[in-house]
């Protein structure tokens, strides 16, 4: 923020507008920039190596599915080849959980994948929406309108609904999901990449056209 130097990345998305841009949350030590665009991909940029090609996160998901884990330092060319080896839905949205241990991906087919970090393992997939996902937002760790408790290990205040994830879709609805326990589930040895629609705890209706934005109070 205080630097006068401007970094320009050597490669970007192939086509279409950019829908979402976000940095890794503060709990993570390695700073990376992520973006999602009309070409259906989510790319990871390393600001310390702005001449290095970005990494398609599908390569991380492929490696995690094949090996159970992914190397943090991936070769960008190999990552691209791996991503092509498996068919993924078109990516349309993403959001980091503020704690940095979960990453939600919204897709053009209406599905939402919940990814555990740093393993990049898909631990849950929601299929309640019927159309493209426009926005995803996790409830903040702290909120002025929520009931507060002191459940965090560091003794700080945390929202009682900080595990809730909201999704906005072209099907004119907003869905609310409870992702409690998914981090613990990710540590289990057995596969947890299942369709977990029972985690949808609420649906907001009323819009007559696509819901393109949302925010928690």
């Amino acid at each position: 923020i205080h630097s006068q130097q401007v970094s320009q990345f050597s490669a970007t998305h192939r086509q279409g507008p950019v829908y979402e841009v976000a940095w890794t949350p503060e709990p993570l030590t390695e700073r990376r920039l992520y973006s999602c665009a009309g070409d259906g991909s989510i790319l990871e940029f390393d600001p310390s190596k702005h001449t290095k090609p970005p990494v398609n996160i599908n390569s991380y998901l492929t490696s995690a599915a094949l090996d159970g884990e992914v190397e943090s330092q991936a070769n960008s060319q190999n990552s691209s080849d791996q991503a092509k080896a498996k068919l993924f839905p078109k990516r349309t949205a993403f959001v980091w959980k503020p704690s940095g241990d979960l990453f939600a991906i919204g897709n053009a087919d209406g599905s939402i994948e919940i990814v555990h970090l740093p393993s990049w393992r898909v631990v849950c997939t929601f299929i309640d929406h019927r159309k493209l996902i426009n926005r995803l937002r996790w409830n903040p760790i702290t909120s002025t309108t929520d009931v507060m408790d002191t459940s965090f290990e560091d003794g700080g205040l945390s929202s009682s609904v900080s595990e809730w994830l909201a999704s906005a879709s072209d099907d004119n609805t907003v869905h609310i999901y409870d992702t409690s326990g998914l981090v613990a589930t990710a540590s289990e040895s057995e596969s947890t990449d299942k369709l977990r629609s029972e985690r949808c705890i609420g649906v907001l209706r009323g819009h007559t056209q696509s819901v393109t934005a949302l925010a928690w109070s």
Side-chain angles (χ1 to χ4, degrees):
I1 295 176
H2 302 288
S3 174
Q4 299 299 316
Q5 182 178 358
V6 177
S7 296
Q8 182 173 347
F9 295 105
S10 59
T12 57
H13 291 274
R14 296 176 181 174
Q15 62 181 6
V18 175
Y19 301 140
E20 195 94 46
V21 176
W23 292 96
T24 50
E26 290 186 1
L28 300 182
T29 56
E30 292 188 355
R31 300 296 285 168
R32 298 290 187 270
L33 180 67
Y34 293 80
S35 63
C36 179
D39 60 4
S41 67
I42 298 175
L43 300 182
E44 177 194 76
F45 298 86
D46 185 346
S48 65
K49 302 176 182 178
H50 55 85
T51 59
K52 177 183 177 182
V55 177
N56 187 325
I57 68 162
N58 287 347
S59 64
Y60 292 158
L61 301 177
T62 299
S63 296
L66 294 176
D67 307 326
E69 60 183 6
V70 62
E71 297 295 333
S72 59
Q73 299 295 328
N75 178 274
S76 59
Q77 182 60 48
N78 290 340
S79 298
S80 177
D81 293 341
Q82 288 177 339
K84 294 177 182 178
K86 178 181 177 181
L87 293 178
F88 290 93
K90 183 178 180 181
R91 311 306 192 180
T92 57
F94 73 88
V95 67
W96 281 94
K97 189 180 179 188
S99 56
D101 50 10
L102 291 177
F103 184 83
I105 302 172
N107 300 312
D109 62 4
S111 64
I112 301 170
E113 296 168 83
I114 308 299
V115 180
H116 172 259
L117 273 297
S119 69
W120 286 98
R121 183 183 182 192
V122 177
V123 295
C124 196
T125 303
F126 305 135
I127 57 169
D128 302 275
H129 284 290
R130 301 189 305 274
K131 295 183 179 180
L132 180 149
I133 304 298
N134 287 310
R135 284 291 183 273
L136 296 167
R137 289 293 181 267
W138 242 291
N139 198 301
I141 293 179
T142 59
S143 172
T144 57
T145 59
D146 293 326
V147 177
M148 309 298 284
D149 60 45
T150 55
S151 59
F152 273 12
E153 294 181 359
D154 61 5
L157 294 177
S158 65
S159 168
S160 61
V161 292
S162 61
E163 302 290 337
W164 289 9
L165 173 70
S167 57
S169 170
D170 276 354
D171 64 9
N172 309 346
T173 66
V174 173
H175 288 211
I176 310 297
Y177 296 93
D178 186 356
T179 64
S180 301
L182 288 184
V183 173
T185 300
S187 63
E188 298 176 0
S189 58
E190 60 188 54
S191 174
T192 55
D193 183 9
K194 301 176 181 178
L195 306 177
R196 299 290 299 278
S197 297
E198 69 270 15
R199 286 184 174 269
C200 182
I201 59 175
V203 180
L204 307 182
R205 308 180 190 276
H207 289 284
T208 57
Q209 295 185 19
S210 302
V211 184
T212 59
L214 53 82
W216 292 93
S217 62

